[in-house]
Amino acid sequence: MKNDGFTLKKRLKSFKFAFNGIYMLIKHEHNAWIHCFAAICVIAAGLHYGISSHEWVAVIFAIGSVLAAEAVNSSIEALADLVSPQYNEAIKKTKDMAAGAVLIMAIAAAAVGLIIFVPKMIDAYNI
């Protein structure tokens, strides 16, 4: 295997590909739209309630994890559809587990949001 070595030009090109992947995720994947909408709402709530820097770290990791999981899921689905356009039980299992991974991350992100925001809402509204 030929090693072409490290060059700044190649690294910058790899970032171009990565940013294109983010663009395609947001432009074409409907579930990513839902995650982005939720992220905007959470960021707005964080600004409104003045969450701490530690809370921002948790929120940012939660948002990033869900979007990354959605990107991986979308990639797996696209590749699986190319490899096996017809129904295939193994492909179905793979796609279902990838979708399940996104759901697990979304539930974990929701739990982070509840832990951070419910006490702030209780304090703000004297519930």
Side-chain angles (χ1 to χ4, degrees):
M1 181 175 190
K2 184 179 178 185
N3 182 358
D4 293 333
F6 176 90
T7 67
L8 184 58
K9 184 176 180 180
K10 289 178 189 174
R11 292 311 97 214
L12 291 175
K13 194 171 185 178
S14 71
F15 275 97
K16 179 182 173 188
F17 296 142
F19 280 113
N20 186 54
I22 294 169
Y23 170 77
M24 289 188 317
L25 176 71
I26 293 169
K27 182 175 181 184
H28 298 290
E29 298 300 325
H30 298 149
N31 287 341
W33 299 354
I34 296 167
H35 299 308
C36 286
F37 177 75
I40 291 166
C41 292
V42 169
I43 291 167
L47 294 170
H48 175 75
Y49 289 111
I51 63 176
S52 72
S53 59
H54 290 99
E55 291 167 327
W56 276 116
V57 168
V59 165
I60 290 166
F61 268 93
I63 291 169
S65 296
V66 171
L67 289 173
E70 185 62 47
V72 171
N73 177 53
S74 296
S75 299
I76 289 170
E77 287 185 356
L79 186 57
D81 290 345
L82 175 69
V83 170
S84 181
Q86 302 82 19
Y87 179 82
N88 179 302
E89 188 61 33
I91 294 292
K92 179 192 181 316
K93 182 178 176 182
T94 301
K95 290 168 73 171
D96 287 354
M97 286 192 292
V102 177
L103 182 58
I104 290 167
M105 285 308 312
I107 291 168
V112 168
L114 290 171
I115 290 166
I116 291 172
F117 291 109
V118 167
K120 294 182 183 322
M121 291 168 33
I122 289 170
D123 288 344
Y125 301 108
N126 297 317
I127 299 173

